[in-house]
Amino acid sequence: MSSHNQVNYLSEQDIQGLSCYQINHPLFSATVSKFGGQLLNFSGKDQQPLIWLSPLAVTDGSKAIRGGSPICWPWFGAAPEAYKGESQHGYARNTYWQLEQLQQSSAQCTLTLVPTEPEFFHQKFGLAVKLIYQFAEDAKVSVETTNIGQQDFTLTAAIHSYFNLVDVGQISIPELNQHSYFDKLLNASARQEQPLQINQAIDRIYHYQKPELSLCSNADRLRLKHSGHDSIVVWNPWQQDAKAMSDFPDLGYQSMLCVEAAITQGLILKPGETHLLSQAFSRDQRFK
Ligand code: BG6
């Protein structure tokens, strides 16, 4: 662990029963859970929280944390054929992580986390993985995957961020207009013909490779940047599915939206290759 500054912004705290890294910095505050290696909170100075965390999240390590910014890795969605029957969204969000490196200054903090038992991933998948959190006025989450095995690995993954919104019903995502998507609820492909608005259950994989997106309403303006992705996933369970989830408040769907930087098409990682998937987010300064 290294630190290039005398001032230490990092402490360890229990949040809702979860052991976490807490960073209280003049420019932001952020919380990363060791279970899941998962961002639970991020707020720029004097700003509303960017990330939504379910007040009903299970926090005893028996189940992935509902909310925050879970990492789906080394697969997104249902397990691939070779791992049939294993957990949806892979292993990272149910794994314990520890700090490998810390860099902090008056301008930023960067935390690098590695699994507490990396051998499991080496042996099972031939992969090494790091989660890199770069916090300044905005937050950037990265998943670094390296194939340290002898065979190709077909990677899918997502940075599954739950964004905290005043009213999801007012949100639009203009950049997705005219992009094709796969609708998981209808099991059909379609094209976004109107600016996307969120007013019903949504579970779509947009084939959107550009770096930037915005979530816009009169009350919220969030800027998202992505790299290393081939898709953007948009998910909100809406009323009926929210009620069916024991770790999700009945009305919680009104103030959150998942917008995920994802690899859904299968990225072939050859032995020795490294891939970086990233999502960065900030609130527009006019919307504190
Ligand atoms: C989204 C998927 O990424 O995650 C949805 O596209 C899924 O299909 C949602 O329902 C939540 O998944 P989970 O496993 O956290 O309940």
Side-chain angles (χ1 to χ4, degrees):
M1 205 182 292
S2 72
S3 172
H4 302 301
N5 195 295
Q6 295 296 323
V7 183
N8 180 35
Y9 302 107
L10 183 87
S11 61
E12 295 198 16
Q13 283 186 16
D14 269 23
I15 311 273
Q16 290 187 25
L18 289 160
S19 178
C20 293
Y21 299 110
Q22 174 68 35
I23 305 116
N24 292 326
H25 188 280
L27 298 176
F28 63 85
S29 66
T31 310
V32 179
S33 167
K34 295 181 189 176
F35 178 65
Q38 184 169 332
L39 185 65
L40 301 185
N41 289 307
F42 178 81
S43 305
K45 184 178 183 292
D46 299 330
Q47 293 191 344
Q48 294 298 317
L50 263 154
I51 296 293
W52 182 89
L53 176 63
S54 171
L56 302 179
V58 176
T59 56
D60 62 3
S62 63
K63 179 178 182 183
I65 302 164
R66 175 70 60 201
S69 198
I71 306 298
C72 307
W73 182 95
W75 56 78
F76 167 80
E81 196 56 33
Y83 303 101
K84 206 173 174 164
E86 298 190 29
S87 303
Q88 150 132 320
H89 291 332
Y91 278 84
R93 64 182 184 158
N94 293 302
T95 292
Y96 284 91
W97 299 74
Q98 64 189 6
L99 194 58
E100 185 197 53
Q101 197 180 32
L102 169 66
Q103 292 174 306
Q104 49 185 337
S105 73
S106 57
Q108 62 88 39
C109 279
T110 300
L111 281 71
T112 303
L113 304 189
V114 291
T116 54
E117 292 176 16
E119 308 78 24
F120 173 78
F121 300 107
H122 299 173
Q123 284 161 15
K124 189 171 171 79
F125 304 116
L127 297 178
V129 58
K130 291 183 180 191
L131 305 181
I132 304 158
Y133 289 96
Q134 293 166 280
F135 299 120
E137 279 159 345
D138 61 355
K140 185 175 184 184
V141 183
S142 302
V143 186
E144 185 193 276
T145 309
T146 301
N147 185 340
I148 57 169
Q150 309 296 321
Q151 292 169 1
D152 290 2
F153 186 89
T154 304
L155 179 72
T156 60
I159 300 170
H160 190 308
S161 301
Y162 289 68
F163 291 106
N164 179 45
L165 304 167
V166 173
D167 178 4
V168 73
Q170 302 295 318
I171 289 286
S172 71
I173 310 182
E175 293 86 351
L176 294 176
N177 206 13
Q178 301 306 325
H179 286 270
S180 63
Y181 62 86
F182 179 72
D183 192 322
K184 290 175 79 174
L185 300 176
L186 300 176
N187 196 24
S189 294
R191 189 181 178 83
Q192 188 68 43
E193 302 289 0
Q194 314 270 337
L196 175 64
Q197 289 199 292
I198 315 295
N199 46 24
Q200 57 183 339
I202 182 166
D203 190 359
R204 294 181 184 169
I205 298 173
Y206 282 88
H207 306 299
Y208 183 85
Q209 293 175 352
K210 293 182 189 168
E212 300 208 8
L213 277 185
S214 54
L215 312 189
C216 311
S217 74
N218 285 335
D220 286 299
R221 179 102 13 127
L222 273 57
R223 295 187 190 284
L224 277 50
K225 285 189 189 166
H226 307 99
S227 59
H229 64 300
D230 59 31
S231 312
I232 295 294
V233 178
V234 182
W235 178 68
N236 182 300
W238 220 250
Q239 199 163 13
Q240 201 176 331
D241 289 354
K243 267 191 188 277
M245 281 186 276
S246 58
D247 58 356
F248 202 107
D250 287 358
L251 299 180
Y253 73 94
Q254 296 174 341
S255 54
M256 56 68 66
L257 182 67
C258 288
V259 181
E260 311 167 32
I263 302 165
T264 64
Q265 305 302 298
L267 183 140
I268 296 172
L269 205 58
K270 295 193 175 304
E273 284 184 348
T274 293
H275 179 79
L276 196 68
L277 173 68
S278 298
Q279 182 181 54
F281 35 86
S282 60
R283 248 181 219 287
D284 193 311
Q285 288 303 325
R286 285 172 297 155
F287 290 79
K288 291 191 171 180

